[in-house]
Amino acid sequence: RKPSLPEKDCKTKDYLPPKSTTIPNPKTLPRKSTDSSSQSKPRKSSDSARKSVSSASSRPESKTFSPNGVMGNIIVKPQPALNSSDVAQTNSRWEGKTVNYRLCPEDLKRMGNEEYCRGRFGEALVFYERAILADPKTPTYWSNKSAALISLGRLLEAYDACEEALRLNPNYERAHQRLASLQLRLGEAEKALCHYNQAGKYTETRHIEQVEDVIKCLRRCDEARRSKGWNILLKETCSVISYGADSSPRVHALQTEALLHLQRQEEAYDVYQKGTKHFDIDIYIKMFGLPITSYLLMVGAQVYIAAGRFEDAVTASRQAARLDPSNEEFNAVDRKSRAVAAARLSGNLLFNASKFEAACVVYTEGLEQDPTNALLLCNRAASSFKIGLYEKAVEDSTLVLNLQPSYRKARRRRADSYAKLGKWQQAIQDYQFLMMETPVDEDTRRALAVANVRLRKQIGGNVRFKGYGSGLVVVNEMGVLG
């Protein structure tokens, strides 16, 4: 039989448990004996029942959380290594159970803290948000919510939660420390230094030194960009990221611009996508300011031009020019994006109409605006191939592969052009590379076999085929030829 619990005080709210006790799960209470001697014993009074509940709550099966002395200070205790057989039992205390979200906000916070300490940040976030719904004016809940969001990688949302905690309590030192660490990661070093100075005991000397290092590196980045020292800029941006500004859109944009000028277009695209994963103009203007947001859009337009995403480039350049109409650099990028987009559209219409010479002329006009545009170069190579200018097609395709080594169309076009010129060894090398990427491509397999046969006829002598991956290699007495 379960012990009788004390009667509720009519003055207290229904959802508030007694402050001096923690009500455990009824399943953890010891089961009563059913023999006759136990049945004859009198029923426990409410005082004795309260003592039994308190003693049961001290058992190791049910954890209790004492109130934390510091608001929002979540301390992650080291957890012992778990066996795979134990993970299901220890993942969450609430797994497979119905959680009553109408509990006291402090109880919801404690439940969230437990999930946070177990590394279950998504579940912890749910409890913190429920606590905020019940009591939105307690800064602790907002600060804990920001901690869970940081662990989930949702930094911009965590930024807003920290700001709300400080709005409710401007002297909240833990929230100042969290916001400073967020601003450092986002590249706002000056703001981070200001909040670290208000974080009190949570600020250490290493925090201040880290912020000062980031500020110095950012100044060197600006100097390198003004002097167009792109290798120096690339090096300094790597240093900034290593010092802690690993999620700064501005730093990633600077790194992207350096890579574009160094003709490393594929790397530039990847870096920009990583740095602006959740790009929203209004949020970025509020958080980083108008100049940085405009610069991000301008760099994005250049990245999209290099990647052949001309419509996205036009959209981004228009937005940048609208945010800062007096900036000549932004206006130049806007004109460039419009010119290459128009050249690609007109050239494709002419190509589809089999007017290959006119298409070559239009693509060339677009390349005058952007001489290293891989898509226009590849399209001009296709037009040159159609009118028999195989040397020109090889030249343009080689330029494309130097800019973007994984551009498959350009490699196939160069291989076909080599075959038309009778340069079988070079053609075989490109065909083999394509076969390694897509072994099931039957057209490339047949082209590779034809090239091997033609090379054998061209060389003559003791020539045999040797298997190499998904393709073939021609070997003579002197060794491998292609």
Side-chain angles (χ1 to χ4, degrees):
R1 288 200 303 264
K2 299 178 182 178
S4 60
L5 298 177
E7 297 180 358
K8 296 180 181 178
D9 188 357
C10 60
K11 295 182 180 180
T12 60
K13 295 183 180 180
D14 292 342
Y15 67 83
L16 291 176
K19 293 184 178 179
S20 61
T21 61
T22 302
I23 300 176
N25 192 336
K27 295 181 181 180
T28 62
L29 295 175
R31 180 171 292 183
K32 289 285 185 179
S33 157
T34 57
D35 58 1
S36 58
S37 61
S38 63
Q39 293 177 1
S40 62
K41 290 183 180 180
R43 190 172 182 179
K44 292 184 180 181
S45 64
S46 60
D47 294 337
S48 62
R50 187 180 291 108
K51 292 179 181 179
S52 66
V53 171
S54 300
S55 62
S57 64
S58 63
R59 292 178 175 269
E61 287 85 355
S62 60
K63 287 188 177 182
T64 59
F65 287 85
S66 60
N68 203 328
V70 181
M71 290 192 297
N73 184 19
I74 300 175
I75 302 173
V76 183
K77 297 180 180 179
Q79 299 292 328
L82 301 176
N83 297 326
S84 59
S85 59
D86 299 330
V87 172
Q89 289 81 11
T90 59
N91 267 345
S92 175
R93 182 179 173 185
W94 320 107
E95 191 167 353
K97 299 180 182 179
T98 302
V99 180
N100 181 13
Y101 290 113
R102 292 187 176 182
L103 293 173
C104 168
E106 280 296 313
D107 290 339
L108 291 169
K109 186 196 79 171
R110 293 190 191 104
M111 294 161 74
N113 289 356
E114 180 180 350
E115 296 300 296
Y116 187 97
C117 294
R118 291 175 179 270
R120 296 170 61 88
F121 306 117
E123 289 78 0
L125 179 61
V126 173
F127 284 116
Y128 296 143
E129 288 178 338
R130 292 285 181 170
I132 290 171
L133 286 175
D135 184 7
K137 294 185 178 181
T138 301
T140 307
Y141 308 150
W142 289 98
S143 180
N144 286 11
K145 178 183 176 180
S146 72
L149 289 168
I150 290 171
S151 300
L152 291 171
R154 294 157 62 177
L155 302 186
L156 300 182
E157 297 174 66
Y159 193 104
D160 291 337
C162 271
E163 285 192 328
E164 181 63 21
L166 289 173
R167 187 188 67 81
L168 295 170
N169 182 5
N171 299 321
Y172 194 170
E173 293 182 349
R174 186 58 165 149
H176 278 294
Q177 187 272 334
R178 279 213 179 97
L179 185 57
S181 65
L182 276 170
Q183 289 170 336
L184 178 64
R185 293 187 63 183
L186 293 170
E188 299 295 295
E190 290 81 3
K191 296 179 182 178
L193 185 61
C194 177
H195 284 285
Y196 270 133
N197 290 331
Q198 302 178 64
K201 62 182 180 181
Y202 295 106
T203 300
E204 301 177 10
T205 304
R206 61 182 179 87
H207 294 148
I208 303 299
E209 294 175 350
Q210 188 178 15
V211 172
E212 290 175 349
D213 289 336
V214 170
I215 292 174
K216 292 176 183 177
C217 281
L218 286 174
R219 288 173 182 169
R220 290 196 292 267
C221 287
D222 292 335
E223 292 174 1
R225 183 176 183 272
R226 282 194 296 268
S227 61
K228 298 184 179 181
W230 306 117
N231 284 304
I232 298 174
L233 178 58
L234 183 60
K235 179 182 176 181
E236 292 298 335
T237 53
C238 293
S239 298
V240 174
I241 293 172
S242 67
Y243 284 135
D246 56 349
S247 302
S248 170
R250 176 191 174 192
V251 173
H252 283 93
L254 288 168
Q255 194 174 63
T256 300
E257 189 177 16
L259 290 169
L260 284 173
H261 284 281
L262 294 172
Q263 307 301 328
R264 294 160 64 176
Q265 295 182 357
E266 291 181 345
E267 295 177 65
Y269 185 86
D270 294 338
V271 170
Y272 185 78
Q273 292 295 107
K274 178 182 177 182
T276 58
K277 190 177 297 184
H278 305 290
F279 188 84
D280 185 279
I281 293 179
D282 295 331
I283 293 176
Y284 272 52
I285 291 175
K286 175 186 174 183
M287 191 170 296
F288 304 110
L290 193 63
I292 292 180
T293 305
S294 304
Y295 173 69
L296 293 174
L297 289 167
M298 186 269 293
V299 174
Q302 292 178 318
V303 169
Y304 295 141
I305 289 173
R309 294 172 52 180
F310 296 139
E311 291 79 8
D312 294 332
V314 170
T315 301
S317 62
R318 280 180 180 174
Q319 291 171 338
R322 186 170 63 248
L323 291 176
D324 192 356
S326 62
N327 192 307
E328 182 56 34
E329 185 179 11
F330 297 169
N331 292 325
V333 172
D334 187 30
R335 291 192 296 269
K336 175 181 174 181
S337 62
R338 293 169 187 267
V340 295
R344 195 273 298 269
L345 179 61
S346 302
N348 288 357
L349 291 174
L350 293 169
F351 186 93
N352 293 333
S354 300
K355 299 179 180 179
F356 304 118
E357 292 184 359
C360 275
V361 173
V362 173
Y363 291 137
T364 302
E365 292 175 354
L367 287 167
E368 291 175 357
Q369 300 293 326
D370 185 13
T372 59
N373 189 272
L375 189 142
L376 294 181
L377 285 168
C378 191
N379 287 4
R380 190 171 70 175
S383 301
S384 299
F385 183 88
K386 289 290 186 179
I387 59 180
L389 300 176
Y390 303 121
E391 291 285 357
K392 183 63 177 175
V394 168
E395 180 183 345
D396 285 344
S397 299
T398 303
L399 289 174
V400 173
L401 292 172
N402 290 335
L403 296 168
Q404 300 182 18
S406 62
Y407 205 142
R408 181 176 174 80
K409 284 185 177 180
R411 191 171 296 276
R412 177 58 191 263
R413 202 150 283 143
R414 189 174 72 171
D416 293 341
S417 300
Y418 278 136
K420 290 290 185 179
L421 293 169
K423 298 181 178 181
W424 303 111
Q425 295 184 26
Q426 293 89 332
I428 288 172
Q429 289 176 0
D430 281 338
Y431 285 137
Q432 286 176 344
F433 193 92
L434 293 169
M435 287 301 299
M436 285 189 290
E437 288 184 342
T438 54
V440 296
D441 190 345
E442 291 299 327
D443 290 339
T444 305
R445 185 186 296 275
R446 284 193 294 269
L448 176 59
V450 170
N452 279 310
V453 171
R454 295 295 179 87
L455 180 61
R456 183 180 62 179
K457 291 181 179 179
Q458 186 183 65
I459 296 175
N462 185 14
V463 179
R464 67 183 187 279
F465 293 109
K466 180 181 179 182
Y468 180 75
S470 300
L472 296 173
V473 188
V474 181
V475 182
N476 69 357
E477 296 175 352
M478 301 301 294
V480 179
L481 296 178

